[in-house]
Amino acid sequence: MRYPLETKQLTKRFKDGDDTIEVLNAVDFQLEQGSFTAVVGPSGSGKSTFLSIVGALLSADEGQLIVDGKDISTMKDQQLSDVRLKSMGFIFQSANLIPYLTVKDQLQLVATLNKQTKKQSLEKIKAMLDDVGLSHRINHYPHQLSGGEKQRVAIARAFINDPAVILADEPTANLDEERSKEIVALIKQEVKANNKAAIMVTHDESLLTYCDHVYEMDHGHLKQR
């Protein structure tokens, strides 16, 4: 069976003075097509390190990372950049929107980086904003949006290049309970509608009901609940 994302014996160590800390210990993991998976664990357990490595933002010391059927473990920086652009969508704690770009242009920038023309991408941008309930904000700037609306833009931006994998790092950390549930429900909706695969790192146990699978990071090991 081919998975959108798979790790084999993924290991990561950090130096702490004279000591070496094994943050990830030979992690084997498969992310299923069409699934929404959560990774939980206490602060410092390694869950964000895991997400950074599977997102090709940080390299592992040992093991394999297979994305969309390709082993990217030994790829060079430019190749990894292409993988992130074409095969992955990222949603972070902060929406990280560019202050001087409108909602439409935030998404257009990502589409342009992926060599889509404005004509090709405009219809998709409009459809994506309609999906996340922001059609009426298409020409607004970030300072005109609420926190929840900014995260909706971030979700649309993550999906705009039709990536195989969506990675969300504490996407509701800056939102209240009601908005948090709205945002996670929206991520799930888009994952299912587009048959994508997503991993969400979260500390909020109340959001786990939206997920198909829950894994816990514990002393470098990733275990399914």
Side-chain angles (χ1 to χ4, degrees):
M1 181 177 180
R2 176 168 157 175
Y3 298 98
L5 185 147
E6 183 177 7
T7 72
K8 296 181 178 180
Q9 298 291 291
L10 207 64
T11 299
K12 183 66 178 178
R13 305 178 186 91
F14 289 113
K15 293 290 288 184
D16 183 15
D18 294 331
D19 298 326
T20 299
I21 300 172
E22 198 160 64
V23 181
L24 299 180
N25 186 349
V27 172
D28 289 328
F29 172 78
Q30 295 86 33
L31 182 64
E32 297 176 6
Q33 189 80 32
S35 71
F36 186 21
T37 296
V39 176
V40 299
S43 179
S45 63
K47 57 188 187 296
S48 289
T49 298
F50 172 73
L51 199 71
S52 294
I53 291 175
V54 299
L57 298 169
L58 183 68
S59 60
D61 294 314
E62 297 172 18
Q64 292 177 284
L65 172 59
I66 301 165
V67 177
D68 210 14
K70 298 177 183 177
D71 185 351
I72 71 169
S73 310
T74 58
M75 283 186 177
K76 305 297 183 184
D77 288 347
Q78 185 56 55
Q79 292 173 301
L80 291 174
S81 180
D82 288 342
V83 169
R84 289 192 295 269
L85 178 62
K86 296 174 181 178
S87 297
M88 297 180 176
F90 296 89
I91 307 168
F92 298 105
Q93 289 185 28
S94 172
N96 294 323
L97 302 182
I98 299 172
Y100 52 84
L101 292 183
T102 64
V103 169
K104 179 182 72 176
D105 290 340
Q106 306 278 344
L107 275 62
Q108 183 67 66
L109 175 61
V110 179
T112 300
L113 289 172
N114 200 31
K115 297 182 170 56
Q116 295 182 44
T117 65
K118 285 191 176 182
K119 186 176 181 180
Q120 287 174 324
S121 58
L122 185 57
E123 185 175 333
K124 190 171 184 180
I125 288 170
K126 288 179 177 178
M128 197 72 246
L129 290 176
D130 188 48
D131 280 354
V132 300
L134 283 180
S135 297
H136 62 301
R137 298 292 201 186
I138 190 168
N139 292 313
H140 284 63
Y141 290 90
H143 73 272
Q144 298 172 302
L145 305 176
S146 68
E149 286 173 333
K150 289 176 184 177
Q151 281 300 67
R152 286 173 180 266
V153 177
I155 292 169
R157 182 180 59 190
F159 280 88
I160 198 66
N161 280 342
D162 197 29
V165 177
I166 301 296
L167 302 173
D169 188 5
E170 299 278 8
T172 64
N174 299 323
L175 304 176
D176 61 32
E177 182 179 355
E178 182 181 353
R179 296 291 175 268
S180 294
K181 290 180 178 178
E182 286 179 4
I183 289 301
V184 174
L186 183 57
I187 295 172
K188 180 175 183 177
Q189 171 189 307
E190 292 303 311
V191 167
K192 299 299 182 181
N194 295 283
N195 195 30
K196 299 303 177 184
I199 304 174
M200 175 179 67
V201 163
T202 184
H203 67 278
D204 190 343
E205 295 273 336
S206 71
L207 301 177
L208 301 183
T209 56
Y210 294 93
C211 300
D212 301 302
H213 307 288
V214 178
Y215 285 79
E216 188 160 6
M217 186 66 72
D218 181 33
H219 294 92
H221 297 280
L222 193 61
K223 303 173 182 178
Q224 188 166 9
R225 280 190 179 179

